[in-house]
Amino acid sequence: MKTKEILLLMLILASWNIYAQKYPGELFPRDSVFFEYNTIPYYIDTSQPGNCWQVGHPSKVLFNEAYSPSLAIVTDTLLPYPVNTQSIFSFTITDTTFPVYYPPCGGATYLQFTHKFDTDTILDYGYMEYSFDHGASWNLAIDTIFDNGYYWGPMWFWWQPDYSVTSGDQYYHPRHISGHSNGWLVSQYIWEWVIPLKDSVIVAPDSIDVRFIFHSDNVQTNKEGWMIDNIVTGCMELGSGTLFHKNNDPIRISPVPLTTVSVVECSSGMENLSFEVYSLLGKSVFRKDIKRNSSFLLYRDNFYPGLFIWCLKSGDKNIQTGKLVVQ
């Protein structure tokens, strides 16, 4: 087996270890920065005075090992992070829609990484930025919507909730990463170039530059900083949109996206039915047993903003699946 094929297989296996996917749809990993082996290069910005990002074996009290042995990138592998730093490392995602190597994926690019942090709360923090124009301008990585210039709507960017490797719990992803993480977290964000409806057109840039930035003030708190490992980029299959139905679909949801309350109508005559909603991390976030030929209300307050996958089941059998966008 060729080296590239071996690396891709290792990448896919590693991604499966992070995700126990329970929802319909699929992640198609393409590139990685695992620091032991990389399919795309990364860059530590040495033009920044005192840039403290280092790749190596972490040897601190809390940061005592990488997620996948034995290398990670850390704000200093041995010492507390320095004061007055604005440290940057970056890489580039290319071929954002992956048209040659993988099946069509609904026009979404994802980036996932595993990380720990231990900083002075609020005053010292990490954050991410991305650029569609090769670094000429940068966008802060927060939930937002961009106008793509097409009549059928905008493109979206959003964080998924952070996933705790230790507990399996999910947490809202903050704008700035600060404080203490209590172990390894998996973070993921998604660019959706077009809502996957009939006749939609994928419009994506040729590349996305991504950079991780760590900032500290002038007070030394002797904390360990930010440690990142197992960066994975690829294409995400989002499934079919709930905005476009076939006449015989048993589930209809309206209005969509879910902004306050939506009606879920079930026209199935089958028994033992349940309606379940999953996060893109594969965790069930909502479940309701329903009767045949019935309806119920879905409330916005039961969800955080983002993209979810829903599934109608009869016992253990999947009857219908779709996408739920929550604003």
Side-chain angles (χ1 to χ4, degrees), residues 101-222:
Y101 301 95
Y102 297 108
C105 293
T109 302
Y110 79 93
L111 187 151
Q112 171 188 303
F113 61 95
T114 308
H115 60 127
K116 285 183 177 181
F117 50 91
D118 175 52
T119 78
D120 185 29
T121 305
I122 300 178
L123 298 177
D124 299 339
Y125 51 86
Y127 60 100
M128 294 178 57
E129 294 181 333
Y130 57 91
S131 173
F132 297 140
D133 52 15
H134 308 288
S137 61
W138 292 91
N139 305 287
L140 180 63
I142 58 175
D143 290 351
T144 190
I145 297 176
F146 292 92
D147 182 7
N148 61 11
Y150 282 76
Y151 69 91
W152 35 257
M155 67 181 189
W156 294 27
F157 169 88
W158 70 87
W159 280 104
Q160 285 298 106
D162 289 341
Y163 172 80
S164 170
V165 174
T166 303
S167 68
D169 292 334
Q170 292 180 307
Y171 307 94
Y172 175 75
H173 187 92
R175 176 179 298 199
H176 290 150
I177 293 169
S178 184
H180 185 68
S181 64
N182 293 316
W184 289 103
L185 298 177
V186 177
S187 292
Q188 183 186 89
Y189 62 88
I190 300 122
W191 294 270
E192 185 178 349
W193 311 115
V194 55
I195 296 175
L197 305 177
K198 182 180 179 181
D199 299 328
S200 290
V201 179
I202 294 175
V203 179
D206 60 354
S207 64
I208 309 170
D209 291 300
V210 178
R211 62 185 185 185
F212 291 77
I213 304 170
F214 185 77
H215 166 87
S216 67
D217 66 2
N218 60 1
V219 178
Q220 178 56 264
T221 57
N222 293 310

